[in-house]
Amino acid sequence: MTKDVIALTARMPDPWTVLAGLLSGGPDKLVGTRGDGAVVQLCDTQGRPLVSVEAPLLVAVEGEAERLLGATPPPVPYWWTEARATTGVAEAERLAGTFATRLTALVGGSAWPPDAVGSLTVVPSDGVRVAPAPAAAQPAVDVLTEKVAVVIQDRPVVAMTAWLSDAFRAAAGAGLGLQIVSPAGTTLSPAVRDSLGGWPSRWVVQDERDGYYDGLTGAVLRWQDGAFAPPGSPDPAEASDFSEGDPHTRVAATYQEVTDTGERQLGLTFRMVHPADDRLVLGGGLETVWRELTGKPPAGWGTSEPANLPWSLSQLTDVAHRRAPEPTWLVVVGGPDRPGLATVRVTRTEAGVEEHVTMALGYGSGEECPVDALPALAEALATRHRLQSMLVQLRKARRDMAVPARFEGPGVPLAFVLGADEVRDLPGDRARRTPLPQAPLPLGPKTRPALYYPLPGDPSDLSGWLDFERLMRHLKGAP
């Protein structure tokens, strides 16, 4: 098990300051580095990391510490320095607290959580040495079995931090599932929820009544054969999500305790394919949608959470260009006045450069979702950003975008949009003559239109998915 400690400071903790913070645990502490110096670590004599400190991150986006930690940081820009202490080792948590105390004392700021702050007295450090590789290769992973990597996260919001992102990649590369264990009351960032994928990856929530349950499906879980799975599963690695829809699978009582607050989320998933060109600028389609729905561009973006960079199309494009031909994953956030979050995956394909965007904006019970703006933003995407397709949904979900360990019903489709090239490629009038009661709305030039298919969109009525399925079958030419 690990304990996260985060220092939020007005000034950058330089390497000597970080070193001084670690050495405050005792004069005989030795410091090792990994990841080309991006992580500083201390280990015990068995090679287990005691404390791992990531390179300080400059955050220039308002609201990220509040969203992810519930903490009040210094004014932007400020520095976010994150440490993980292995609580399985007695002195590690005290060492992390001592580190945070010394760091904030030297450069000013505060530590999260507040009770993590330790004294400035020396912590005994017998038997500590530099971390060997590969024992400290994945400081985010707490338990490793033949089936899964387990990460324990004790923080208000489980976010897609750089460490967690590394753990996802490492688990996938090793053919393992990733299981995130958190205490009751924790929420997920949508970026983490959308990355969990299928079994045996899970969000495992501790619960007083049922022990453990899956925070996204509600299935009661037990640790068995090296993974969390529903009791009685013959093999946890074969316990698919479909098995959790079985009537014999018990659902945790806490998961079913739901209150309709009237909050909603407007969700959009769209894909654009651009010609591979040195003059290509990425992110323009997402910015267009954000402006149409909120009146302003996104607040910030990053390659992990917290999103630390102010919104910039040129910087975003430069990052994706440097990483090509490897794919690039990005997170984009809105300001505190209109919560919103998007993930963007940029991929080089035979067709060109593909942007796949999943985004949502949150609305309170007294706020109207701007559904009237949907046709205009769809037309802008189709005519200026090479839209292939887009699905728009409305769902009952929290305004602040946090994913609770409670039942949240599925969204219902508001509209589907087919890009101009896709309309042209369908035979005859198939794209225009559909089994839906309402005809599609043409977007853009009359000679080469995209098509906007309106759908019912009532959050209390899931029958809209039947219309969507009928439309998809028709467009694909299925009987």
Side-chain angles (χ1 to χ4, degrees):
M1 180 181 288
T2 54
K3 176 77 172 181
D4 295 351
V5 180
I6 299 167
L8 305 172
T9 60
R11 290 186 289 129
M12 179 182 178
D14 61 51
W16 289 107
T17 301
V18 175
L19 181 61
L22 285 170
L23 292 179
S24 68
D28 57 343
K29 283 280 189 284
L30 295 177
V31 181
T33 64
R34 57 173 295 270
D36 296 325
V39 176
V40 180
Q41 285 188 327
L42 296 178
C43 279
D44 64 13
T45 54
Q46 285 74 45
R48 295 174 300 178
L50 292 176
V51 177
S52 303
V53 182
E54 191 151 289
L57 180 70
L58 181 63
V59 178
V61 180
E62 294 276 4
E64 285 296 88
E66 293 87 344
R67 177 175 74 90
L68 299 176
L69 301 177
T72 302
V76 295
Y78 60 88
W79 293 91
W80 178 302
T81 306
E82 192 155 336
R84 284 178 66 84
T86 304
T87 54
V89 181
E91 79 166 290
E93 192 169 339
R94 286 188 296 158
L95 180 59
T98 301
F99 158 76
T101 300
R102 178 58 60 90
L103 193 64
T104 55
L106 288 171
V107 297
S110 60
W112 179 93
D115 61 4
V117 177
S119 69
L120 294 178
T121 57
V122 172
V123 178
S125 57
D126 295 338
V128 173
R129 63 183 176 84
V130 176
Q138 283 299 325
V141 174
D142 296 289
V143 178
L144 189 64
T145 74
E146 294 181 353
K147 299 182 175 104
V148 298
V150 178
V151 175
I152 301 172
Q153 291 275 272
D154 186 6
R155 49 204 297 172
V157 180
V158 178
M160 186 59 81
T161 61
W163 281 351
L164 190 57
S165 180
D166 286 344
F168 269 106
R169 284 193 292 268
L176 302 173
L178 186 74
Q179 298 192 337
I180 300 170
V181 181
S182 67
T186 298
T187 61
L188 285 190
S189 163
V192 177
R193 176 197 59 198
D194 296 342
S195 299
L196 274 173
W199 58 271
S201 297
R202 299 181 184 276
W203 175 27
V204 182
V205 180
Q206 295 176 306
D207 183 64
E208 290 184 355
R209 287 177 285 183
D210 291 299
Y212 297 94
Y213 69 93
D214 189 305
L216 299 179
T217 69
V220 173
L221 305 173
R222 296 289 182 270
W223 179 261
Q224 52 187 15
D225 299 323
F228 284 99
S233 297
D235 184 341
E238 297 176 1
S240 72
D241 289 341
F242 293 104
S243 70
E244 290 165 23
D246 189 293
H248 299 293
T249 299
R250 191 159 64 89
V251 176
T254 303
Y255 180 79
Q256 302 176 69
E257 295 172 350
V258 179
T259 301
D260 186 359
T261 63
E263 295 173 290
R264 300 288 186 271
Q265 287 179 13
L266 183 64
L268 303 93
T269 304
F270 53 98
R271 185 173 68 249
M272 301 162 289
V273 178
H274 315 280
D277 190 302
D278 288 341
R279 296 170 296 177
L280 173 64
V281 176
L282 298 169
L286 175 59
E287 180 178 305
T288 294
V289 171
W290 217 290
R291 285 185 182 275
E292 289 284 344
L293 295 176
T294 71
K296 60 182 68 174
W301 71 285
T303 56
S304 61
E305 291 181 289
N308 65 309
L309 300 169
W311 180 246
S312 168
L313 296 179
S314 60
Q315 291 181 2
L316 185 155
T317 302
D318 288 344
V319 167
H321 182 74
R322 288 197 303 269
R323 295 186 175 188
E326 294 299 315
T328 296
W329 182 93
L330 306 168
V331 61
V332 180
V333 298
D337 58 331
R338 175 57 60 212
L341 188 143
T343 57
V344 183
R345 185 174 178 83
V346 180
T347 310
R348 184 70 167 88
T349 67
E350 292 182 0
V353 179
E354 178 176 317
E355 284 184 272
H356 188 275
V357 179
T358 299
M359 69 169 287
L361 299 170
Y363 298 88
S365 59
E367 298 175 310
E368 290 292 331
C369 292
V371 295
D372 291 342
L374 294 175
L377 73 84
E379 185 165 38
L381 285 177
T383 57
R384 303 191 335 240
H385 299 287
R386 296 181 177 271
L387 177 72
Q388 277 197 334
S389 63
M390 178 170 68
L391 176 63
V392 185
Q393 301 179 56
L394 187 64
R395 64 192 302 256
K396 297 179 180 181
R398 289 171 51 150
R399 182 183 187 273
D400 64 3
M401 310 306 298
V403 181
R406 299 283 196 281
F407 174 76
E408 285 190 317
V412 293
L414 284 176
F416 178 74
V417 184
L418 201 59
D421 288 343
E422 287 63 39
V423 170
R424 183 188 57 187
D425 291 343
L426 290 177
D429 285 339
R430 182 185 296 173
R432 295 170 180 82
R433 297 183 179 274
T434 74
L436 300 183
Q438 192 170 350
L441 175 67
L443 306 173
K446 292 182 179 180
T447 57
R448 192 172 172 274
L451 292 177
Y452 179 97
Y453 302 89
L455 294 162
D458 181 355
S460 301
D461 184 1
L462 297 180
S463 64
W465 286 113
L466 298 177
D467 287 337
F468 179 73
E469 182 181 0
R470 289 166 61 204
L471 175 62
M472 292 299 100
R473 291 176 62 84
H474 170 79
L475 295 177
K476 293 175 181 178

